[in-house]
Amino acid sequence: MAVVALALTEGMLHFELSLAYEVFGSAPVGVTVPWYDVEVCGPDAVRVGRFRLEPDQGLDRLPHADTVIVPGWADVDEDPPAELVDAVRAAHEAGARVASLCTGAFVLAAAALLDGRRATTHWAHTDVLAARHPRVEVDPDVLYVDNGSVLTSAGKAAAMDLCLHLVRLDHGSSVANAVARRLVVPPHRAGGQAQFVAAPVPTRDDHSLAALFPWAIERLDRPLTVEDLARRARMSSRNLGRHFRAVTGTTPLQWLLTQRIRRAQELLETTDDGVDAIATATGMGTATTLRRHFNRTVGVPPDAYRRAFRSRPRTDTGDDRPHRR
């Protein structure tokens, strides 16, 4: 059973802490894979937001964890406590996978874990992170960044995306989707998706494209075009593009491609279908087209993805550092 340690100290944000505990704290109904053992680690009683919490373990427990989660840090104008920084650094040196949520990136940066690496944090604080830690390659336009043994996320909802991404790496997309269904959140948003869209983004299900999305997802095996979507939505292609940008932050074609890649991932994990059959089932047409888009989007070819996620939970961290499991 993999140990997930939530690293706490005075000044942490309760939302990110609660979110991580919800994701890793208990397995969804029907999921039989060995689940995580979550430990809350911190120095004595700590204040998290307006709450006082009694940690299960001290910060010296972090180097014994498989994954260390650092929730958001409330006051980015202050240096995080040295004992927290030292414990997080020691955990990484011991082989733990370390992930920050929101402004928890400031803790990782203080521990020098982000030096020479691409990282992100809440868009409102990316300039501060870049100025204070110039050796960090700060990307303000993504939801999360996966460097293998070190991961960072943007704020609030993006922290959920990163936690689900970790579950996906460990147990595959079907388990991550089950967690998402339990929490009633989208199952997967790619880390490279923009974290901030200037136009208001509807969060309710009664937006203008609510009926179009499931209709299109049920027809991914067909060569859908923007004109097909516009006709179904009863609007012009140009108007559809405006609505898509407002609702999803992306274009109709990019949204369709993302859905096709997701379907391909599920089929690679749950069936023995060949790449040609999956290309047909996802509307990609040919195996060559599927491989090109899949490799560019996911970062590995379909066959490698199947080997990593189908036979057993993923155990590698993406770099040459040994990672305990």
Side-chain angles (χ1 to χ4, degrees):
M1 181 180 294
V3 175
V4 173
L6 307 181
L8 299 185
T9 190
E10 293 285 340
M12 288 293 181
L13 299 174
H14 68 274
F15 180 86
E16 286 78 8
L17 169 64
S18 302
L19 178 154
Y21 196 90
E22 282 293 323
V23 171
F24 299 108
S26 60
V29 175
V31 170
T32 59
V33 298
W35 204 243
Y36 305 96
D37 181 15
V38 176
E39 298 179 351
V40 179
C41 303
D44 302 320
V46 298
R47 179 171 293 280
V48 179
R50 301 182 64 179
F51 305 99
R52 297 289 292 181
L53 295 180
E54 293 281 349
D56 305 314
Q57 306 281 349
L59 289 173
D60 57 353
R61 174 65 177 168
L62 297 189
H64 302 282
D66 297 285
T67 298
V68 173
I69 305 292
V70 182
W73 176 248
D75 192 353
V76 298
D77 294 326
E78 297 288 337
D79 291 332
E83 60 180 337
L84 174 63
V85 172
D86 292 342
V88 169
R89 184 189 300 114
H92 183 259
E93 292 173 351
R97 178 177 60 183
V98 179
S100 65
L101 308 181
C102 193
T103 50
F106 283 83
V107 177
L108 273 59
L113 300 187
L114 302 182
D115 287 357
R117 285 188 165 109
R118 183 165 156 263
T120 194
T121 187
H122 191 289
W123 62 267
H125 304 294
T126 50
D127 289 344
V128 177
L129 182 64
R132 189 173 302 166
H133 300 280
R135 297 184 63 186
V136 180
E137 183 186 344
V138 179
D139 190 338
D141 297 321
V142 294
L143 295 176
Y144 57 84
V145 177
D146 181 349
N147 287 302
S149 62
V150 178
L151 304 92
T152 54
S153 84
K156 304 303 180 185
M160 175 68 78
D161 293 313
L162 178 55
C163 289
L164 290 175
H165 174 68
L166 292 174
V167 175
R168 186 184 186 91
L169 290 177
D170 294 339
H171 299 299
S173 65
S174 61
V175 173
N177 290 348
V179 175
R181 283 194 298 271
R182 176 168 64 85
L183 300 176
V184 198
V185 296
H188 177 68
R189 292 196 296 169
Q193 183 173 329
Q195 62 166 290
F196 177 70
V197 180
V201 178
T203 58
R204 297 171 56 186
D205 291 333
D206 58 353
H207 57 76
S208 58
L209 303 180
L212 180 64
F213 288 164
W215 180 88
I217 289 173
E218 291 174 0
R219 292 162 175 79
L220 292 178
D221 59 329
R222 306 178 189 180
L224 293 175
T225 65
V226 174
E227 288 71 23
D228 293 329
L229 297 178
R231 190 178 304 112
R232 179 67 185 183
R234 297 182 179 178
M235 59 181 68
S236 68
S237 297
R238 179 176 295 183
N239 196 27
L240 178 74
R242 287 196 293 267
H243 280 271
F244 253 89
R245 179 65 67 179
V247 173
T248 70
T250 190
T251 66
L253 285 180
Q254 185 57 50
W255 181 87
L256 267 177
L257 176 60
T258 299
Q259 306 312 312
R260 297 188 196 281
I261 294 297
R262 288 183 190 170
R263 178 67 56 82
Q265 288 176 306
E266 293 177 0
L267 294 174
L268 287 166
E269 293 181 26
T270 61
T271 75
D272 294 319
D273 294 348
V275 176
D276 285 295
I278 292 176
T280 300
T282 58
M284 293 287 193
T286 67
T288 300
T289 300
L290 172 59
R291 287 191 174 97
R292 182 175 71 252
H293 288 297
F294 195 96
N295 196 18
R296 185 175 62 189
T297 303
V298 181
V300 296
D303 294 332
Y305 181 88
R306 171 171 270 165
R307 287 194 299 271
F309 286 95
R310 180 73 187 277
S311 60
R312 57 186 171 83
R314 179 174 173 173
T315 58
D316 63 289
T317 61
D319 61 4
D320 56 5
R321 179 184 298 275
H323 182 222
R324 298 167 310 194
R325 230 347 137 246

